[in-house]
């Protein structure tokens, strides 16, 4: 296995600081890429039902475990409660479906994927208002859902629980009402959207932050065009001159610099790639270091630019919990 730094949750469980993101990877692509990732040494795999590939991931995991190439206890598998299941009575069904699809008897981390929910789909389709806005469930009860997640920790189906895309106010609500404290918060975080205040809040409350889209997300452009016909300009984080200068000095790639900056903050990252070379590079962060000056140079690059704004759900700005 690759030499990867481990982060320790508030319950003592450890998670690799660099994981493998599986968002929007079709079945055949994810099978090939996950094999490459496991061969490169990734053991932290981030999944979700809404990525529509958990069955394909489960097939590869089963092959590796049954073939003796990896032990289940050496893997760290995250999945999530989807927004359309954001109600206490839907937790068990969605959790058990993910377990079945992933060919697992437990997951290492189970997250509430969003702080908002949708009504139960009608004939499998999301409901829309006549004006095109998505119908949102305005009764989503974070605390009631959290209590149900705690039950499944006790039942042994989940090792750790956490949240995703929650803001500080919403995390605080969970903390104030939790018997089992959140182990992790997964949020968009990168050089142009550093989330410093939220990261510090989580550190103060012993919650490990995981950064999604740590290198930006060009895939969001294709996704938005597909579902909304909207164009969006996504910043090229790998082309930032200051980052490129540090990379040149250290003989590393800009991606390695950006990921190292995240990990050095005590934050995990789940970059996605299907390229064997980049998969290995993204994991090879622990044979070099950034100086204090490097960290300061990157810190001042924050522009507050969120890429995954969730505004592809038309009308989400009317939700009482908005902004997330």
């Amino acid at each position: 296995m690759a030499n990867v730094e481990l982060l320790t949750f508030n319950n003592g469980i450890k998670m690799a600081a660099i994981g493998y993101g599986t968002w929007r990877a079709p079945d055949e692509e994810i099978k090939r890429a996950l094999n490459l990732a496991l061969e490169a040494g990734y053991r932290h795999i981030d999944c979700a039902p809404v990525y529509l590939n958990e069955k394909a991931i489960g097939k590869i995991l089963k092959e590796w475990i049954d073939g003796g190439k990896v032990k289940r206890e050496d893997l760290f598998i995250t999945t999530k409660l989807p927004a359309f299941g954001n109600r206490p009575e839907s937790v068990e069904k969605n959790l058990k479906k993910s377990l079945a699809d992933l060919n697992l008897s437990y997951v290492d981390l189970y997250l509430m994927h969003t702080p908002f929910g949708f009504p139960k789909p009608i004939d499998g389709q999301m409901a829309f208002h006549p004006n095109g806005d998505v119908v949102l469930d305005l009764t989503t009860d974070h605390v009631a859902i959290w209590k149900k997640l705690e039950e499944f920790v006790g039942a042994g189906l989940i090792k750790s629980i956490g949240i995703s895309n929650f803001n500080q106010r919403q995390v605080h609500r969970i903390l104030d009402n939790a018997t089992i404290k959140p182990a992790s918060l997964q949020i968009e975080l990168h050089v142009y959207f550093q989330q410093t205040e939220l990261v510090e809040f989580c550190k103060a409350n012993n919650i490990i932050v995981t950064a999604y889209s740590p290198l930006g997300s060009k895939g969001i452009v294709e996704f938005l065009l597909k579902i909304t016909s909207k164009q969006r300009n996504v910043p090229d984080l790998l082309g930032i001159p200051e980052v490129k200068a540090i990379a040149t000095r250290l003989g590393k790639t800009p991606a390695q610099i950006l990921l190292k900056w995240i990990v050095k903050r005590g934050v995990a990252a789940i970059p996605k790639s299907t390229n064997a070379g980049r998969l290995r590079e993204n994991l090879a962060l622990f044979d070099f270091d950034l100086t204090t000056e490097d960290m300061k140079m990157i810190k001042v690059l924050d522009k507050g630019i969120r890429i995954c704004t969730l505004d592809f759900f038309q009308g989400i700005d009317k939700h009482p919990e908005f902004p997330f």
Side-chain angles (χ1 to χ4, degrees), residues 244-252 289-291 294 297:
K244 291 173 69 176
I246 296 171
T248 299
R249 192 188 84 238
L250 295 176
K252 300 295 178 180
D289 203 0
L290 299 178
T291 67
D294 292 335
M297 185 183 296

Side-chain angles (χ1 to χ4, degrees), residues 11 69 264 293:
N11 57 9
K69 292 191 286 186
K264 196 171 174 67
E293 288 305 311

Side-chain angles (χ1 to χ4, degrees), residues 62-125:
K62 188 175 190 308
E63 288 175 359
W64 274 69
I65 294 170
D66 289 353
K69 292 191 286 186
V70 67
K71 295 179 181 178
R72 170 64 185 97
E73 57 267 29
D74 293 332
L75 293 171
F76 188 99
I77 310 297
T78 299
T79 191
K80 308 173 185 80
L81 177 68
F84 57 77
N86 249 1
R87 56 190 63 83
E89 65 272 20
S90 297
V91 171
E92 182 173 7
K93 175 183 177 181
N94 284 280
L95 170 60
K96 289 185 174 178
K97 185 178 189 309
S98 280
L99 289 173
D101 288 347
L102 292 167
N103 284 307
L104 301 174
S105 60
Y106 69 90
V107 289
D108 299 275
L109 178 62
Y110 197 63
L111 307 175
M112 292 173 61
H113 203 160
T114 63
F116 57 88
F118 303 126
K120 296 177 183 178
I122 301 170
D123 296 328
Q125 299 298 314

Side-chain angles (χ1 to χ4, degrees), residues 207-240:
I207 298 170
I208 297 294
V209 173
T210 297
Y212 71 74
S213 298
L215 304 176
S217 181
K218 292 184 178 179
I220 196 70
V221 176
E222 178 187 345
F223 176 66
L224 286 173
L225 278 173
K226 183 176 180 180
I227 67 169
T228 69
S229 300
K230 287 183 177 180
Q231 289 279 0
R232 174 171 297 173
N233 294 322
V234 175
D236 177 15
L237 304 185
L238 302 181
I240 298 172

Side-chain angles (χ1 to χ4, degrees), residues 80-310:
K80 308 173 185 80
L81 177 68
F84 57 77
N86 249 1
R87 56 190 63 83
E89 65 272 20
S90 297
V91 171
E92 182 173 7
K93 175 183 177 181
N94 284 280
L95 170 60
K96 289 185 174 178
K97 185 178 189 309
S98 280
L99 289 173
D101 288 347
L102 292 167
N103 284 307
L104 301 174
S105 60
Y106 69 90
V107 289
D108 299 275
L109 178 62
Y110 197 63
L111 307 175
M112 292 173 61
H113 203 160
T114 63
F116 57 88
F118 303 126
K120 296 177 183 178
I122 301 170
D123 296 328
Q125 299 298 314
M126 193 181 299
F128 289 86
H129 287 297
N131 65 0
D133 287 357
V134 173
V135 176
L136 298 169
D137 181 358
L138 302 184
T139 66
T140 302
D141 187 335
H142 298 158
V143 173
I145 296 168
W146 189 260
K147 292 300 179 184
K148 186 61 65 172
L149 297 185
E150 291 179 338
E151 289 181 22
F152 288 105
V153 174
L157 300 185
I158 305 169
K159 296 295 185 182
S160 301
I161 48 179
I163 56 268
S164 178
N165 296 302
F166 276 49
N167 61 31
Q168 184 170 319
R169 180 185 72 256
Q170 293 156 348
V171 177
H172 217 305
R173 181 185 299 141
I174 298 294
L175 285 168
D176 286 346
N177 293 279
T179 300
I180 300 174
K181 302 297 185 184
S184 184
L185 169 67
Q186 188 177 122
I187 51 174
E188 178 182 342
L189 187 152
H190 46 75
V191 63
Y192 277 172
F193 194 58
Q194 299 187 14
Q195 301 252 47
T196 302
E197 184 177 342
L198 185 52
V199 170
E200 292 306 314
F201 171 80
C202 286
K203 285 183 178 180
N205 286 281
N206 204 11
I207 298 170
I208 297 294
V209 173
T210 297
Y212 71 74
S213 298
L215 304 176
S217 181
K218 292 184 178 179
I220 196 70
V221 176
E222 178 187 345
F223 176 66
L224 286 173
L225 278 173
K226 183 176 180 180
I227 67 169
T228 69
S229 300
K230 287 183 177 180
Q231 289 279 0
R232 174 171 297 173
N233 294 322
V234 175
D236 177 15
L237 304 185
L238 302 181
I240 298 172
E242 293 89 342
V243 173
K244 291 173 69 176
I246 296 171
T248 299
R249 192 188 84 238
L250 295 176
K252 300 295 178 180
T253 67
Q256 288 174 310
I257 301 305
L258 292 176
L259 292 172
K260 182 70 175 186
W261 166 76
I262 289 173
V263 171
K264 196 171 174 67
R265 294 177 69 193
V267 173
I270 45 172
K272 175 197 168 188
S273 178
T274 58
N275 177 279
R278 286 193 293 271
L279 280 167
R280 290 191 295 270
E281 287 176 357
N282 290 347
L283 207 59
L285 307 178
F286 305 98
D287 61 349
F288 73 98
D289 203 0
L290 299 178
T291 67
T292 301
E293 288 305 311
D294 292 335
M295 295 296 287
K296 288 179 179 178
M297 185 183 296
I298 296 173
K299 183 177 181 179
V300 300
L301 297 175
D302 192 3
K303 296 181 181 296
I305 297 175
R306 184 192 293 270
I307 296 171
C308 303
T309 61
L310 302 177

